[in-house]
Amino acid sequence: MTPEQIRSEIEAAIPGCSVEVAPNGAVPGQASLAVDRLHALEAAWFLRRHPGLLLDFCSNVAGVDWLDREISEKVKVRKLVDGVEQEAEETRKSKIPGRLEAVYHLFSIEKKQGPVILRVRTENRSDRVEIPSLTPVWRSAEFQEREIFDLYGIVFTGHPDLRRLLMWEGFTDHPMRKDYVPPPEDDGPQDPRGAVGKEAAAG
Amino acid sequence: MLGEGIVRGLAETARNFFGSFAEKERLTTVQFPEERRVPFEAARNFPFLVYDGDGKESGLRCVACLICEKECPPRCIHIDKSKDKKPDFVGKAQFYPAAFTIDVSVCMSCQICVEVCPFEAIKMDTAFELSTDDRFAGLLWGKDRLAKSNEHYHAIHPTEAAEVDERRGQEKAAAEAKAKPAAQPAEAR
Amino acid sequence: MISSLKEMPREAGETGGMAGSGAGSQLLEVAMGPHHPSTHGVFRMDVQLEGERVVRLKPVFGYLHRNHEQIAEKTSYLGSMPYTDRLDYLCSMSNNWAYALTVEKLTGLQPPERAEYIRVIMAELTRVQNHAGLIGFLLQDMGASGTPLMYAFREREKILDLFEWVSGARMMCNYMRFGGVRVDLPEGWVEGALAFVERAPRFLDEYEGLLRNSEIVMARTQGVGLLPAELAVNAGVTGPMLRASGVNYDLRKVDRYGVYDRFSFRVPLGEKGDVYDRYMMRLLEMRESVSILAQALRDLPGGPILDPKSKLRGLRPKAGEVYGRIEAPKGELGFYLISDGSTNPYRYRVRPPSLINLTVLEDMCLDRSVADVVVILGSVDIVLGEVDR
Ligand code: SF4
Ligand code: SF4
């Protein structure tokens, strides 16, 4: 099934659910489905039970951080210049608000098919970062969602055991975010122009 | 019978034990350091800089193009480019590294610097007994420690070094052939 | 079978088998690890015991975490290749392949025939040494100290020699490149590999005969650490562990990546999904790998080893995303890349089979004794470099 077909099926089966097909420039035919976060859990159950898809295996769950972006596009506008209608080019700047995203790669072991790519997005990157956990549907998401919570700061509501996975308890930041600033390290590559280098040159 | 499986397993152990006296196959270890294996030709450990002729300083092939510094994944190469230029092996004026340092405590022997270097200037050494009691300065290798002769390169990677020498010989011949009609101005290249 | 499984393996909010801790029983908390000989690395299990019985087990990760993904997002595509060696440091060749395959999918590079065969050979050699080593460790965990492990390491030594011969390094091979492999096989290598393949069956027979029929091994492994197929699929378990539970899912057959469709081999399947099945699965898979190796070495074609379009520096794939995966010795090793058109990936994610296979560790260990926990963990086959990344 193509992503468009899946989209229309989901939208038909779950009233009020909006699905967007996100295109993929690299691999044709592997567009992903961005499901709105309110209906994500229902949509996941639907995909797993769908007799034609039977997506019983959630292989990979990845977090992605999209910063605020400004895109400028050139648009043609008709303007009245000195009473004459003229076509002119104008640059419009639009701001795409940043958000966090969890990407699920779903396969079917039963049917040996896949992947269907599901994306669930948060509202923004700062305070509204809740999305529903899909661990009740696929338990393979359990550790991976914990990892995303840890490294990206997405809060998965309904997750059975949402704790940090890799960083230690008490760590406050989210190191995989694009704007993360690591603390200064003291055992990185040595700069030969620094003190150690002078010592090495002397001895 | 209970215990039969264990006895059968012990028979395998006995076969391997006594077999190890007869077959090289069953005893692959060597008694290092008295006994040493010859390293494979492709073996690699840490990079070194190749120089031609006797000039440890003057014969360095490196032209300080900084490609390896940029491509090294853990960024453990530091190069200071020279201010002046000096002629390289084909007679073209090139920069040279005023300082070239590798922090071998960070280097992971990946060989990417060797692959990206367009001047055959940096190669992988096979020496591995390099321990030192100085964790910082002792592992920060400068130009004098890194520079090794082309003969050394031939000794550790003979096939590869021969290919490199042939390629450089051709380049040099081509450059000389071009230089012959020297009446032409330089722009005619 | 799978479609009819119970929908929810666990109630949300419930954190495992805390039931049974009634009045009168005293619970003992034990932290196994991070420095414990049976955890195969720096890994901790917080175990709650009622007498000898495990009532709760929480794995704790992160001791070896170095944020590989972030490092990779800050270096070029090529620059991450040597770092993939260090994920599952026993299987650097497979890791290289998975990453190269993903970037090839992203950029449309096509490795030539010879390179594809070389990759299969390297991956299967890796599988043999990984499985042999794992069985050695597993038996060691059961008390067979040393002997099986040393036999495994003896054969591994020969495979590592083959790796060093071609790539220059024994473990951190950094051998594959986008669109092929880095260097061609040196002279005499194929003969060396063939010699290994010829002698491998004898080793496998001996290795199997060593302890397969041992009453102690059977008592310690049969019926221990049961993993039902439904749970295994739902929890994303892959690789030999999934097949030990009887689910026929091998990416070499399903995805047919590389040139795996040209070789005839079987996919061994277990019945019960206990530790014994997992142990046998590795033994059987080694035999299949040896048979693939013999076929690949026989059919190895000549020709170039690198796609002429491939370039070393300044790779800038088109914007887009890709998920590539291979059947690594430990399970499905996947790479997920998002390119924004620049020289380094916008998002780089590794799907670590070792970590995800541990999801079911608690389920397998509940109600068993501590000694069984050690054996069950040993049968999962983890490498902490990959679990923690
Ligand atoms: S070693 Fe090679 S790549 Fe590095 S600066 Fe010198 S010439 Fe350039
Ligand atoms: S071998 Fe790798 S890590 Fe070492 S200096 Fe060269 S590029 Fe850097």
Side-chain angles (χ1 to χ4, degrees):
Chain A
M1 270 206 275
T2 63
E4 282 75 21
Q5 283 169 321
I6 300 175
R7 179 183 88 155
S8 48
E9 288 211 15
I10 296 178
E11 286 186 336
I14 305 167
C17 178
S18 80
V19 181
E20 184 194 324
V21 176
N24 180 359
V27 187
Q30 274 198 16
S32 47
L33 300 164
V35 182
D36 78 89
R37 70 188 91 72
L38 296 177
H39 298 90
L41 193 60
E42 266 176 275
W45 278 118
F46 174 79
L47 289 174
R48 194 181 133 184
R49 291 178 180 145
H50 188 289
L53 291 168
L54 276 182
L55 297 164
D56 48 10
F57 171 44
C58 170
S59 169
N60 178 42
V61 187
V64 189
D65 180 14
W66 299 100
L67 293 171
D68 295 337
R69 270 182 308 167
E70 212 168 63
I71 48 167
S72 48
E73 49 184 350
K74 289 223 161 67
V75 275
K76 291 236 164 74
V77 279
R78 304 202 135 257
K79 260 200 288 202
L80 278 179
V81 184
D82 305 332
V84 193
E85 202 178 12
Q86 272 188 342
E87 198 163 83
E89 259 194 6
E90 220 174 57
T91 331
R92 275 205 196 139
K93 286 217 170 99
S94 52
K95 213 166 169 195
I96 299 185
R99 63 189 167 213
L100 303 165
E101 196 176 64
V103 186
Y104 297 77
H105 284 82
L106 311 173
F107 292 84
S108 170
I109 289 187
E110 183 85 7
K111 292 197 166 285
K112 308 241 189 306
Q113 284 172 352
V116 169
I117 306 160
L118 202 65
R119 315 182 94 90
V120 188
R121 292 166 175 163
T122 64
E123 213 170 308
N124 60 23
R125 312 176 58 248
S126 47
D127 51 346
R128 317 206 49 153
V129 289
E130 291 90 15
I131 60 174
S133 163
L134 302 189
T135 305
V137 189
W138 297 285
R139 229 185 102 197
S140 51
E142 184 181 333
F143 285 173
Q144 306 192 63
E145 284 181 346
R146 265 179 74 186
E147 185 185 323
I148 297 171
F149 166 71
D150 184 356
L151 303 181
Y152 282 91
I154 301 182
V155 177
F156 291 91
T157 50
H159 190 285
D161 183 22
L162 197 64
R163 288 177 295 137
R164 283 186 179 270
L165 183 84
L166 297 168
M167 306 305 281
W168 55 96
E169 299 284 326
F171 187 81
T172 46
D173 215 338
H174 303 293
M176 279 299 285
R177 290 216 185 170
K178 287 282 170 188
D179 50 4
Y180 172 74
V181 186
E185 53 179 340
D186 47 6
D187 55 354
Q190 302 159 24
D191 188 351
R193 291 147 200 135
V196 176
K198 297 219 174 71
E199 194 189 320
Chain B
M1 191 192 69
L2 189 70
E4 194 191 322
I6 295 175
V7 173
R8 269 202 261 164
L10 286 175
E12 289 301 344
T13 319
R15 196 205 317 241
N16 273 282
F17 175 67
F18 292 111
S20 69
F21 289 99
E23 276 180 77
K24 186 86 193 68
E25 236 344 77
R26 293 192 194 269
L27 191 70
T28 49
T29 44
V30 294
Q31 297 295 325
F32 188 83
E34 291 81 26
E35 219 181 304
R36 280 162 189 269
R37 280 187 353 183
V38 186
F40 286 105
E41 242 200 272
R44 60 176 202 250
N45 203 358
F46 289 122
F48 69 95
L49 295 172
V50 190
Y51 66 84
D52 292 311
D54 313 318
K56 202 169 176 178
E57 184 79 12
S58 57
L60 278 184
R61 292 180 184 174
C62 175
V63 299
C65 66
L66 309 185
I67 290 177
C68 56
E69 185 181 31
K70 204 165 131 256
E71 292 291 323
C72 168
R75 310 263 192 284
C76 65
I77 304 180
H78 300 272
I79 302 169
D80 285 338
K81 204 176 191 162
S82 64
K83 298 267 161 2
D84 54 329
K85 292 188 178 188
K86 60 181 186 188
D88 68 351
F89 73 110
V90 294
K92 205 164 135 203
Q94 294 276 25
F95 290 107
Y96 60 94
F100 194 113
T101 342
I102 296 183
D103 184 351
V104 292
S105 65
V106 172
C107 171
M108 56 176 178
S109 312
C110 66
Q111 207 177 6
I112 281 185
C113 49
V114 175
E115 280 171 68
V116 295
C117 176
F119 298 93
E120 316 280 6
I122 188 165
K123 296 289 166 196
M124 296 307 273
D125 206 347
T126 53
F128 55 89
E129 287 151 291
L130 303 165
S131 58
T132 164
D133 54 9
D134 187 350
R135 183 230 175 283
F136 296 103
L139 293 173
L140 200 59
W141 292 0
K143 223 169 30 169
D144 51 334
R145 175 119 196 225
L146 289 170
K148 299 212 172 125
S149 66
N150 194 19
E151 284 72 49
H152 175 74
Y153 182 32
H154 273 276
I156 56 175
H157 305 300
T159 328
E160 195 190 292
E163 277 168 25
V164 168
D165 270 7
E166 196 189 317
R167 234 184 351 256
R168 283 168 64 89
Q170 281 166 3
E171 254 174 67
K172 188 164 185 186
E176 270 163 10
K178 212 177 272 170
K180 277 280 158 57
Q184 255 84 29
E187 304 90 72
R189 270 188 293 152
Chain C
M1 167 200 70
I2 290 148
S3 53
S4 64
L5 64 136
K6 231 173 72 214
E7 299 293 14
M8 231 166 98
R10 269 207 220 177
E11 299 280 321
E14 192 201 4
T15 47
M18 283 294 284
S21 53
S25 65
Q26 282 253 317
L27 290 186
L28 182 67
E29 293 244 15
V30 180
M32 289 177 74
H35 294 286
H36 189 280
S38 76
T39 54
H40 299 203
V42 273
F43 169 62
R44 191 174 102 214
M45 292 173 281
D46 281 345
V47 190
Q48 226 168 51
L49 298 171
E50 190 184 3
E52 259 290 274
R53 203 169 64 87
V54 175
V55 293
R56 194 187 128 154
L57 185 149
K58 289 283 163 220
V60 181
F61 309 97
Y63 293 99
L64 209 53
H65 180 53
R66 53 226 187 262
N67 223 339
H68 168 68
E69 295 178 4
Q70 194 196 49
I71 294 172
E73 282 168 22
K74 290 183 176 167
T75 38
S76 64
Y77 283 87
L78 173 69
S80 317
M81 185 59 92
Y83 287 119
T84 64
D85 290 341
R86 286 141 178 94
L87 283 172
D88 174 356
Y89 40 75
L90 298 175
C91 310
S92 65
M93 288 285 190
S94 317
N95 301 343
N96 282 182
W97 191 3
Y99 180 49
L101 180 112
T102 310
V103 176
E104 279 154 16
K105 238 170 128 179
L106 186 66
T107 52
L109 292 168
Q110 184 61 46
E113 190 118 313
R114 184 174 170 84
E116 293 278 25
Y117 272 81
I118 294 177
R119 286 177 174 190
V120 168
I121 293 168
M122 296 304 168
E124 295 306 322
L125 282 172
T126 306
R127 199 181 312 275
V128 172
Q129 58 100 355
N130 177 71
H131 284 1
L134 182 264
I135 291 172
F137 282 118
L138 176 62
L139 295 172
Q140 169 143 315
D141 287 345
M142 279 184 254
S145 11
T147 312
L149 186 61
M150 287 307 127
Y151 289 178
F153 271 37
R154 184 186 65 201
E155 298 312 303
R156 178 166 178 260
E157 179 68 27
K158 296 171 191 161
I159 295 176
L160 294 191
D161 274 353
L162 288 172
F163 286 169
E164 189 181 6
W165 195 351
V166 50
S167 76
R170 295 159 64 75
M171 289 171 76
M172 304 301 147
C173 298
N174 184 20
Y175 179 55
M176 311 225 176
R177 288 288 173 269
F178 314 130
V181 295
R182 178 156 57 80
V183 286
D184 206 345
L185 302 176
E187 214 170 297
W189 194 90
V190 175
E191 289 72 36
L194 271 174
F196 172 78
V197 169
E198 262 158 39
R199 290 185 309 248
R202 186 184 77 170
F203 160 69
L204 292 177
D205 288 342
E206 286 181 5
Y207 204 43
E208 204 174 317
L210 191 60
L211 282 167
R212 198 191 101 172
N213 299 311
S214 160
E215 287 78 1
I216 300 174
V217 170
M218 292 210 207
R220 291 293 309 273
T221 56
Q222 289 184 341
V224 175
L226 287 173
L227 178 64
E230 295 79 34
L231 179 61
V233 171
N234 193 265
V237 172
T238 43
M241 233 179 120
L242 177 68
R243 294 189 287 275
S245 294
V247 182
N248 186 353
Y249 195 67
D250 186 325
L251 297 182
R252 291 174 293 175
K253 293 275 191 197
V254 176
D255 280 9
R256 299 176 163 265
Y257 60 94
V259 285
Y260 273 114
D261 46 354
R262 303 194 192 168
F263 308 116
S264 78
F265 64 101
R266 293 173 309 154
V267 178
L269 291 180
E271 282 167 7
K272 292 211 212 67
D274 55 4
V275 174
Y276 188 74
D277 276 1
R278 272 170 239 146
Y279 163 55
M280 284 310 292
M281 205 52 46
R282 265 93 189 200
L283 281 173
L284 294 170
E285 281 198 3
M286 279 198 278
R287 290 189 189 274
E288 296 307 318
S289 291
V290 169
S291 121
I292 297 176
L293 277 171
Q295 296 171 49
L297 286 166
R298 184 193 66 207
D299 300 343
L300 181 69
I305 51 158
L306 201 64
D307 185 337
K309 287 204 288 298
S310 133
K311 54 179 180 173
L312 207 51
R313 296 173 52 220
L315 181 72
R316 288 169 178 273
K318 267 198 302 192
E321 60 170 53
V322 66
Y323 180 66
R325 53 181 195 162
I326 68 161
E327 182 74 33
K330 297 189 166 55
E332 173 185 327
L333 175 65
F335 280 84
Y336 174 56
L337 298 174
I338 299 181
S339 159
D340 57 354
S342 65
T343 51
N344 35 348
Y346 185 79
R347 176 72 175 109
Y348 169 105
R349 147 100 185 151
V350 188
R351 182 214 190 262
S354 304
L355 171 71
I356 297 166
N357 287 357
L358 283 175
T359 312
V360 288
L361 184 65
E362 184 179 18
D363 304 64
M364 294 191 291
C365 292
L366 286 185
D367 265 345
R368 309 292 321 185
S369 68
V370 177
D372 285 343
V373 170
V374 171
V375 179
I376 292 169
L377 179 70
S379 75
V380 176
D381 191 6
I382 55 168
V383 157
L384 270 297
E386 181 178 86
V387 172
D388 290 342
R389 278 157 299 138

